Amino acid sequence: MPAAEVNTKEQSSKKLQQSNPDYDPNIVVEAQNLSKIYHDFWGRQKVRALKALDLEVRKGEVFGLLGPNGSGKSTTIKLLLGLLFPTSGRALVFGKDASEVTKNEKIGYLPEESYLYRFLTAEETLDFYGRLFDMPAKVRKERAAELIEKVGLTWAKRRQLREYSKGMVRRIGLAQALINDPELILLDEPTSGLDPLGTREMKDMIIELKEQGKTVVMCSHLLADVQDVCDRIAILYQGELKELGRVDSLLKVSDETQVRFDNVPESAHAEIRAVIEKHGGNIISMENPKTTLEELFLSIVRESSERPGHRSDRAAN
Amino acid sequence: MSDSQFYENQFLKLSEWFPGAVGVFGPLMLALILMGVVFGYLVAAFRHGAGEGFYIVAQTVGGFFPDWLRMSPRRVWAIARLAIKEAFRRRVVMVTFGLFALAILFGGWFMNSNSDHPDRIYVNFVAFGTQMLVLFMGILVASFSLPDDIKNKTIYTVVTKPVRASEIVVGRIVGFTAIGTALLTLMGIVSFVFVWGGLTHTHQIVGENQSIASFEDIDPTTRLNQLGRRVSNGAIKTFQTTMDDGHRHTGELIEDIRDADSPPMDASNVVSKEVLPNGQIKYRRVIVDLAAGHTHGVKVSGDGDNATITLGPARGFFRARVPYYSDSLAFFEYTGARKEGGVDVGRELNRQGFFDGGTPWLPNTLSRAEFDFSGIVESRFEDPNLVVLEMNLGVFRTTKANIQKRVLGSWQIESVPENPEEGRVVSERFTFESQEYQTQLMPIKRKIVGQKTDESGNFEPSAEFDLFDDYAKNGKLKLVLRCEDPNQYLGAARADVYFRSADQPYAWNFFKSYLGIWAQMLVIISLGVAFSTFLNAPVTIVMTAVTMLVGFNTEFIREMLSPDHVGGGPLESFYRIVTQNSMVLELDPGIGSTLLEKSDQLLVQMLASLTYIAPNFSIFNFSESLIYGYDISLDRLGVAFITAFAFFIGFSILGYFSLKTREIAK
């Protein structure tokens, strides 16, 4: 990162500390007793979408909001973005109120469906969003080219989005979320509508962002996606926070031990069983592990792209 | 726009209007903002409680100035560009221009070139057509844009960028106005070519050759021309032209005897001149009679019977007259007492005040209309030696009198000295025949015979005085009009009598009238965008269209409140149409009629209240000036632009608060 940019970020951080004495630069997102009730036209309570949510997202982590449909994940994201107003409580982003426009300078947002202008081309789309960040023409152009290449749409950059497949629109949606090189990226169901390859690429992208020191908040109901990329998760159910913590500690089964090894003959299995029983252990299963369907699919696709025209050896078996 | 409103608007002076307008705009904006804050607080307090409500309102109001001061032109332009692309995508622009092109292509078939004023028909057609199409296009694009963005959720990716509500509102208005400007420019050019091409024509003189030899003698017993109309005094031959553009002209060769020092104004049509023994000069001139609201210039080459005549382009179309109006008009009745508004000779003519010619028993009437002019200086006139006074006088006859004879009037000018002790200079009375339903031109020579008063107020002997050096020495001049026919009346309003300067180029006037449409478009787009921040698209269209219609009919709606208004309000009028009930008869008393009247009162009151909020579109409407051939003054243009920008600012602020305080997501 250029020195000048670092200085600017430090200055803006200092400014924030001056204007908000409680601001901790390590806490990027903060929900304080955040509640949202939807009302009907007559002001009567319709749905209580979020109930007194308290959480913090720290700088540099990938945070997942997990829950079934209607649990309040998207509502939380919309409250953090200022698209909805809280019924009570506060949503703070970079120490600023969520309704503050200037906070958006450091935010990238990918909505649940890529709500983009279908009459624009990929280039025009990124140019438009770049302008909204007040980026000079040269920077906009470079950044747009870089992102289009990164999401693999160089070949279709001059086509209107109306001609794009759902996956392609999702990719350009991600590109628009990254146009300003944001510090915080909010992803609403990021893998929705993507094929396994796209899903994998999206997850790789999230991990890459984390490696770059970005903070990512994502919400999803696809548990595997969350498990693969998130450092910490919050589980919501009917608008209430049910669980909050690190993924690895939440998923750890303390009273079981898993050992994986290779090149051990079948004959050694009996000895291993004997050792475990000797120590009072109970063998739950001992078998050859299976790969995931995702892994299988990805390896077939990889092989096919390396050897076009050949049928996969695995498929023959 | 009514006639009286049109004439009232002619006098608008930016310097006089502006302080008053600021006096209205400032407090009105302040009142609206206060009302908005109170309303906003009530809603916020209802939803979040009194304390939190106060915090929310304070935060919204506090953010107002930073949000407007930190607006980024790049972001505004980005939103504007998007709006332009969107309008193209919707094909609204193409459809609008297509409709206009169709109207132009086939409209020419229905134009009556033989009417009294074909120019007015042509200009009215293009100006009204353009105005309506552009305004409805403005309503459509402005009403659909934001509601569609919210419905399709594309707005999510915009408002989550550092974009301010002010930028979204202003950007959209700028974008739609830009596209409307391009469309208006295109339509303006096509319209101008259509009008110019449609009216430009010339004729040939019917006969074997284009010379005096082909003219016909006048039958001394009937003195009628080829079309059966009476010829002028002094006419010795007549001719007629070919039929072109749906009409033909007749013309005359007249003998015009003049003093040596007053040659005819137009020397190009002189065929021969002969000095008479008394020193006067007899000119023979070719004059083309008026037909279809215009005449033609004549070019004569050679002289005598062999002189060749060529008709030039039409004269009377494509004018942009620059009138110098009086500062005030006062009427005085025969007793010499001032009479406010002159004599009212009937409701239908209440625009003009009338002054009478006295009675045969009191012939030396003092009844008169006095016009006070200021700023009469040489430099304001094209030819200071021959100043043109133009009049559109009304005539009201109490007796038929001699139907062949026009009602006589007279004009007189006098100086208006700053110091009453200074002597006044009063000209002679000059009699003229009034030309009803026509604009009357009165050339006034620089040297005018009159009398000066001495210190004691007595008149000195008559002498010639200079119009600028003596009569209008301090720039002020009084023009007095009288009716010289007993028992008859002449009528005039302030806008009816004026001095004329050199005409402005017609194309420039045409352009200015389109600037008026542009200003209307800006207001309508601002209104549509502001409404669309809190209403859905169909409701926005209806609300904007209703506000526009109210704005166009401000005066009519206010008139309905007047006790003199006959026929009742909209419901009663409708009832009368359906039941074929006369407008002037009272409805039969009963519950039904009372219900009708009360409902009408409510409806008209509501509409009348709207007229004080909706822009009064007569301020922006210059098409009448263009149609009647008057220059659109820069004052009027200034007033229209300032008003349009005031509405643009006002509606932008309304849109800003509405967008800022609403939840974008559902």
Side-chain angles (χ1 to χ4, degrees):
Chain A
M1 194 180 289
E5 205 173 320
V6 174
N7 279 341
T8 319
K9 285 190 176 171
E10 274 174 8
Q11 278 169 7
S12 95
S13 180
K14 269 182 193 166
K15 254 189 199 174
L16 261 173
Q17 267 178 311
Q18 282 163 5
S19 62
N20 180 1
D22 298 332
Y23 174 61
D24 176 355
N26 285 318
I27 296 172
V28 177
V29 172
E30 197 176 356
Q32 298 171 350
N33 199 28
L34 193 62
S35 298
K36 179 67 190 174
I37 298 171
Y38 289 108
H39 295 91
D40 66 8
F41 180 78
W42 306 106
R44 292 174 303 192
Q45 180 175 330
K46 204 165 72 177
V47 183
R48 200 178 174 88
L50 200 62
K51 296 169 195 167
L53 177 70
D54 280 302
L55 61 82
E56 288 177 357
V57 178
R58 295 186 197 106
K59 192 176 179 185
E61 71 178 349
V62 179
F63 189 90
L65 285 166
L66 204 60
N69 290 337
S71 58
K73 310 181 298 287
S74 290
T75 299
T76 307
I77 296 253
K78 285 170 185 167
L79 284 165
L80 292 174
L81 285 163
L83 291 170
L84 289 173
F85 302 147
T87 308
S88 63
R90 291 182 81 189
L92 300 170
V93 180
F94 297 113
K96 292 178 179 179
D97 193 273
S99 61
E100 177 67 53
V101 171
T102 49
K103 73 168 193 316
N104 295 344
E105 280 161 14
K106 296 190 279 184
I107 290 181
Y109 169 56
L110 174 69
E112 189 176 351
E113 282 176 43
S114 299
Y115 304 120
L116 302 170
Y117 295 94
R118 305 270 160 156
F119 54 90
L120 297 179
T121 64
E123 276 183 331
E124 287 170 342
T125 300
L126 296 189
D127 182 70
F128 168 64
Y129 290 109
R131 281 172 192 265
L132 297 187
F133 282 101
D134 223 351
M135 290 161 73
K138 190 167 173 273
V139 179
R140 268 194 330 259
K141 206 172 172 185
E142 284 170 6
R143 185 81 184 138
E146 184 188 318
L147 283 167
I148 287 173
E149 199 184 335
K150 191 170 189 173
V151 297
L153 287 174
T154 310
W155 59 280
K157 63 182 180 183
R158 292 204 175 93
R159 279 166 57 180
Q160 286 189 343
L161 302 196
R162 71 171 90 228
E163 297 169 23
Y164 275 26
S165 69
K166 198 171 178 187
M168 288 162 80
V169 174
R170 205 81 190 121
R171 285 157 192 255
I172 200 69
L174 179 68
Q176 68 78 28
L178 301 177
I179 188 79
N180 57 324
D181 191 18
E183 287 178 38
L184 166 67
I185 300 112
L186 293 151
L187 307 170
D188 196 349
E189 305 284 358
T191 54
S192 144
L194 293 180
D195 59 19
L197 196 64
T199 303
R200 185 53 178 264
E201 281 170 3
M202 178 65 81
K203 287 194 278 191
D204 288 347
M205 187 88 79
I206 293 169
I207 291 164
E208 193 186 320
L209 290 168
K210 177 185 156 57
E211 283 165 0
Q212 288 169 10
K214 315 280 186 198
T215 309
V216 179
V217 175
M218 60 180 276
C219 73
S220 178
H221 56 257
L222 300 172
L223 309 180
D225 295 348
V226 176
Q227 185 183 348
D228 286 350
V229 294
C230 289
D231 299 318
R232 286 202 307 142
I233 56 166
I235 298 176
L236 296 170
Y237 183 69
Q238 290 186 340
E240 281 184 88
L241 179 66
K242 296 292 181 188
E243 192 65 77
L244 176 70
R246 293 197 64 79
V247 175
D248 43 14
S249 57
L250 284 175
L251 298 184
K252 186 177 177 185
V253 184
S254 313
D255 54 354
E256 289 180 19
T257 308
Q258 186 178 336
V259 182
R260 289 179 74 181
F261 40 78
D262 61 1
N263 297 328
V264 175
E266 286 278 332
S267 54
H269 287 195
E271 280 177 51
I272 293 164
R273 282 175 193 276
V275 171
I276 291 166
E277 280 165 12
K278 187 182 159 191
H279 290 280
N282 183 26
I283 296 172
I284 299 165
S285 77
M286 198 159 86
E287 58 194 3
N288 289 102
K290 289 177 184 148
T291 183
T292 60
L293 194 55
E294 184 189 357
E295 282 298 331
L296 174 68
F297 178 83
L298 290 175
S299 64
I300 291 172
V301 171
R302 214 174 293 128
E303 277 175 29
S304 301
S305 63
E306 282 165 9
R307 297 164 57 202
H310 289 260
R311 195 169 174 204
S312 167
D313 298 338
R314 290 164 191 268
N317 296 329
Chain B
M1 181 166 53
S2 70
D3 260 14
S4 54
Q5 185 64 54
F6 165 65
Y7 287 110
E8 267 314 303
N9 286 345
Q10 293 284 83
F11 305 126
L12 272 178
K13 285 267 176 282
L14 185 59
S15 52
E16 291 166 11
W17 171 86
F18 189 71
V22 170
V24 172
F25 181 75
L28 188 73
M29 280 303 288
L30 208 65
L32 285 175
I33 288 171
L34 277 176
M35 274 166 62
V37 167
V38 171
F39 179 73
Y41 175 70
L42 289 176
V43 172
F46 174 73
R47 295 188 62 181
H48 303 277
E52 185 76 0
F54 179 79
Y55 169 75
I56 292 168
V57 171
Q59 200 182 25
T60 308
V61 174
F64 175 76
F65 287 108
D67 272 1
W68 284 85
L69 295 175
R70 290 183 199 152
M71 268 172 59
S72 146
R74 192 180 272 137
R75 278 197 286 265
V76 170
W77 184 233
I79 304 270
R81 273 167 52 110
L82 188 78
I84 293 170
K85 283 182 181 165
E86 189 191 356
F88 267 110
R89 181 182 62 96
R90 287 182 187 283
R91 299 195 177 89
V92 177
V93 181
M94 270 77 85
V95 170
T96 309
F97 189 73
L99 285 174
F100 175 75
L102 272 178
I104 289 286
L105 277 175
F106 301 109
W109 293 0
F110 305 101
M111 299 284 161
N112 181 7
S113 303
N114 197 22
S115 74
D116 283 348
H117 294 287
D119 54 334
R120 291 183 189 174
I121 295 175
Y122 269 78
V123 175
N124 195 26
F125 172 71
V126 291
F128 183 72
T130 306
Q131 181 190 30
M132 285 300 122
L133 283 171
V134 166
L135 293 188
F136 278 106
M137 184 218 69
I139 291 177
L140 282 181
V141 292
S143 302
F144 273 105
S145 175
L146 208 49
D148 265 12
D149 254 16
I150 292 169
K151 193 173 144 201
N152 300 331
K153 299 178 182 172
T154 37
I155 192 104
Y156 286 14
T157 49
V158 175
V159 293
T160 51
K161 307 286 183 281
V163 182
R164 295 176 165 84
S166 49
E167 290 163 340
I168 293 176
V169 173
V170 173
R172 276 195 155 69
I173 297 175
V174 168
F176 295 138
T177 306
I179 201 148
T181 308
L183 183 68
L184 194 59
T185 308
L186 204 59
M187 286 163 103
I189 293 168
V190 173
S191 299
F192 188 77
V193 171
F194 175 73
V195 171
W196 195 270
L199 295 173
T200 303
H201 69 279
T202 184
H203 303 263
Q204 297 283 307
I205 291 166
V206 174
E208 284 182 12
N209 50 42
Q210 303 289 302
S211 69
I212 305 291
S214 66
F215 287 18
E216 292 174 21
D217 291 327
I218 292 166
D219 180 352
T221 55
T222 60
R223 290 194 65 76
L224 297 176
N225 66 16
Q226 290 89 333
L227 297 182
R229 295 195 191 113
R230 285 177 72 88
V231 295
S232 332
N233 291 335
I236 53 168
K237 279 175 185 287
T238 73
F239 66 93
Q240 66 173 324
T241 68
T242 50
M243 178 78 99
D244 292 287
D245 227 30
H247 66 276
R248 68 167 82 239
H249 296 263
T250 52
E252 299 165 350
L253 180 68
I254 59 163
E255 279 186 350
D256 185 8
I257 298 168
R258 292 169 164 268
D259 292 336
D261 61 348
S262 62
M265 282 167 74
D266 182 5
S268 66
N269 59 6
V270 175
V271 179
S272 66
K273 57 180 185 180
E274 181 189 335
V275 181
L276 301 176
N278 62 2
Q280 286 185 306
I281 301 174
K282 183 166 81 180
Y283 295 93
R284 282 190 165 189
R285 298 162 58 203
V286 178
I287 306 279
V288 180
D289 295 332
L290 195 77
H294 68 282
T295 175
H296 289 265
V298 170
K299 198 177 165 202
V300 177
S301 47
D303 58 7
D305 283 354
N306 296 325
T308 308
I309 314 297
T310 319
L311 259 59
R315 277 184 185 173
F317 297 152
F318 312 125
R319 288 179 306 172
R321 292 172 285 173
V322 182
Y324 285 136
Y325 294 110
S326 62
D327 300 333
S328 63
L329 164 62
F331 293 95
F332 295 87
E333 57 183 9
Y334 67 94
T335 58
R338 191 173 171 142
K339 182 162 175 62
E340 199 61 45
V343 177
D344 182 1
V345 296
R347 274 193 81 241
E348 72 279 8
L349 293 169
N350 62 3
R351 189 178 72 76
Q352 292 179 321
F354 281 75
F355 41 101
D356 63 283
T359 65
W361 301 278
L362 197 65
N364 291 326
T365 176
L366 293 169
S367 174
R368 64 194 190 275
E370 287 188 4
F371 296 81
D372 281 304
F373 291 88
S374 61
I376 302 287
V377 286
E378 275 187 68
S379 57
R380 291 184 81 169
F381 297 93
E382 189 181 16
D383 179 6
N385 294 319
L386 203 66
V387 172
V388 177
L389 179 70
E390 209 164 273
M391 300 191 289
N392 295 294
L393 296 181
V395 176
F396 182 76
R397 292 178 171 84
T398 56
T399 64
K400 203 185 279 180
N402 181 359
I403 202 74
Q404 294 290 330
K405 193 173 152 282
R406 288 166 172 166
V407 174
L408 288 179
S410 73
W411 64 268
Q412 185 177 34
I413 54 170
E414 58 182 78
S415 63
V416 186
E418 301 290 349
N419 181 1
E421 286 168 16
E422 246 180 79
R424 281 187 305 138
V425 188
V426 182
S427 79
E428 287 181 341
R429 283 193 204 178
F430 296 91
T431 312
F432 61 87
E433 280 188 1
S434 63
Q435 292 171 6
E436 206 175 348
Y437 310 119
Q438 278 184 41
T439 300
Q440 193 162 2
L441 284 172
M442 199 80 69
I444 297 177
K445 281 194 266 182
R446 184 173 181 144
K447 300 285 179 196
I448 303 163
V449 176
Q451 288 176 292
K452 195 172 180 182
T453 57
D454 58 21
E455 292 83 14
S456 51
N458 297 322
F459 282 106
E460 292 172 356
S462 292
E464 261 191 358
F465 293 96
D466 189 276
L467 177 61
F468 299 105
D469 298 339
D470 301 314
Y471 288 104
K473 197 171 158 187
N474 53 0
K476 290 182 179 173
L477 188 73
K478 191 187 288 291
L479 172 78
V480 183
L481 290 186
R482 291 184 177 85
C483 179
E484 298 287 346
D485 259 341
N487 290 333
Q488 313 291 40
Y489 289 78
L490 287 179
R494 198 177 141 208
D496 292 329
V497 177
Y498 48 84
F499 288 104
R500 260 183 73 181
S501 175
D503 287 0
Q504 285 284 317
Y506 183 74
W508 169 229
N509 213 35
F510 199 90
F511 174 70
K512 283 191 283 188
S513 89
Y514 272 63
L515 287 181
I517 301 177
W518 185 88
Q520 293 173 42
M521 182 184 72
L522 176 64
V523 174
I524 285 295
I525 287 173
S526 309
L527 187 67
V529 170
F531 281 160
S532 74
T533 56
F534 57 92
L535 297 172
N536 65 26
V539 182
T540 303
I541 291 176
V542 172
M543 285 294 289
T544 315
V546 166
T547 314
M548 184 179 90
L549 288 176
V550 168
F552 273 120
N553 297 291
T554 301
E555 273 192 80
F556 173 71
I557 292 167
R558 288 183 194 165
E559 259 175 38
M560 279 201 285
L561 279 177
S562 143
D564 296 341
H565 187 74
V566 288
L571 297 177
E572 192 182 322
S573 300
F574 182 72
Y575 173 75
R576 284 173 188 276
I577 291 169
V578 172
T579 57
Q580 300 190 347
N581 226 315
S582 166
M583 284 207 359
V584 288
L585 291 177
E586 287 288 321
L587 290 180
D588 294 334
I591 299 174
S593 58
T594 313
L595 257 176
L596 266 182
E597 276 172 26
K598 295 293 169 196
S599 314
D600 262 344
Q601 273 177 13
L602 190 72
L603 204 63
V604 173
Q605 275 292 354
M606 276 167 58
L607 279 172
S609 320
L610 257 182
T611 61
Y612 292 97
I613 302 168
N616 183 350
F617 274 82
S618 68
I619 288 177
F620 312 112
N621 203 347
F622 301 147
S623 52
E624 266 91 351
S625 294
L626 187 68
I627 289 165
Y628 291 114
Y630 287 102
D631 175 55
I632 298 156
S633 68
L634 292 179
D635 280 300
R636 287 186 67 194
L637 213 56
V639 168
F641 268 67
I642 291 170
T643 310
F645 277 105
F647 274 106
F648 161 63
I649 292 167
F651 288 135
S652 300
I653 292 173
L654 173 70
Y656 163 80
F657 276 120
S658 158
L659 201 59
K660 179 103 177 166
T661 52
R662 72 168 285 175
E663 284 185 327
I664 297 294
K666 296 271 181 199

